[in-house]
Amino acid sequence: KCKGVTYYREGSRSAEVLVKGDDKAKSKNQRLVTHIHRDRQDELEGITKKVKTSHGNSYITVNFDVDGYPLEVFNQASAKIPCNASSEGLARMTSLALREGIAIDRIIKQLTSAKCSSGCVSCPDMMGHVLSDILKKRQEDKVENECPECKAQLETSEGCIHCPACGWGKCST
């Protein structure tokens, strides 16, 4: 019940669906793709950052899953911002890219490279910088809360910071 067949000569397209041959002779246009899908849980933790623009305030929220991976982005912009619907759509597409496993650094690079012709900060650029800033801050906070001996998460009890994994304690050193 085949309705048709299409074939291409190897090397005739910039990206090829299937190339015969061994692993050593991979085309420069091929990339190993691993699909990762992250489902949204019912409850997520998030950070909202207020950004002042020439048209009013914009509130960008980044929500994280239980493993600390950014899963979704929201942009609640002032009604005065002319590209309000576009920035909402961009936040939805960014969330989709995050949930589908697109590398965060690639997403940020694409967002921050979009510039407005009017000279103002573009919505994508603003969103990319906020996403980058929030991720850097969370990484710094995570490093500050790591055990210097075994890198496990530190806990605070009885007024002292200690590691439940290896027993290291700030008060005992």
Side-chain angles (χ1 to χ4, degrees):
K1 299 198 181 205
C2 180
K3 303 237 183 215
V5 174
T6 302
Y7 64 93
Y8 297 98
R9 187 174 42 199
E10 189 173 329
S12 67
R13 299 280 186 240
S14 62
E16 298 175 351
V17 177
L18 180 64
V19 178
K20 70 175 191 167
D22 60 5
D23 289 340
K24 295 176 187 174
K26 284 191 176 177
S27 168
K28 66 178 181 178
N29 296 320
Q30 288 181 314
R31 180 182 299 167
L32 178 64
V33 177
T34 304
H35 183 76
I36 299 170
H37 176 78
R38 291 179 170 87
D39 289 323
R40 188 194 191 286
Q41 294 95 20
D42 291 336
E43 288 187 25
L44 299 174
E45 260 186 48
I47 297 174
T48 301
K49 186 168 182 179
K50 176 181 172 182
V51 181
K52 293 183 180 187
T53 71
S54 56
H55 298 288
N57 294 328
S58 187
Y59 298 88
I60 299 175
T61 301
V62 180
N63 288 336
F64 299 86
D65 66 9
V66 293
D67 298 322
Y69 184 85
L71 205 60
E72 59 190 9
V73 178
F74 294 98
N75 186 2
Q76 182 62 44
S78 166
K80 299 175 190 174
I81 294 178
C83 57
N84 198 358
S86 295
S87 64
E88 181 184 338
L90 178 65
R92 290 180 184 191
M93 290 304 297
T94 302
S95 299
L96 179 63
L98 289 169
R99 283 194 299 272
E100 295 302 322
I102 305 294
I104 298 169
D105 57 331
R106 292 181 65 202
I107 295 170
I108 291 170
K109 182 179 179 185
Q110 291 300 314
L111 290 172
T112 57
S113 64
K115 306 297 178 197
C116 266
S117 60
S118 63
C120 66
V121 175
S122 71
C123 293
D125 185 56
M126 178 178 59
M127 192 176 298
H129 280 96
V130 167
L131 185 58
S132 177
D133 292 347
I134 288 173
L135 292 175
K136 283 179 187 170
K137 183 178 182 332
R138 282 184 63 99
Q139 186 61 32
E140 289 169 1
D141 291 347
K142 184 178 177 183
V143 170
E144 288 177 10
N145 291 327
E146 282 183 354
C147 173
E149 300 290 324
C150 70
K151 304 297 183 209
Q153 281 296 113
L154 295 174
E155 294 180 356
T156 303
S157 65
E158 299 175 3
C160 189
I161 299 171
H162 71 279
C163 178
C166 71
W168 177 89
K170 189 166 187 163
C171 298
S172 60
T173 56

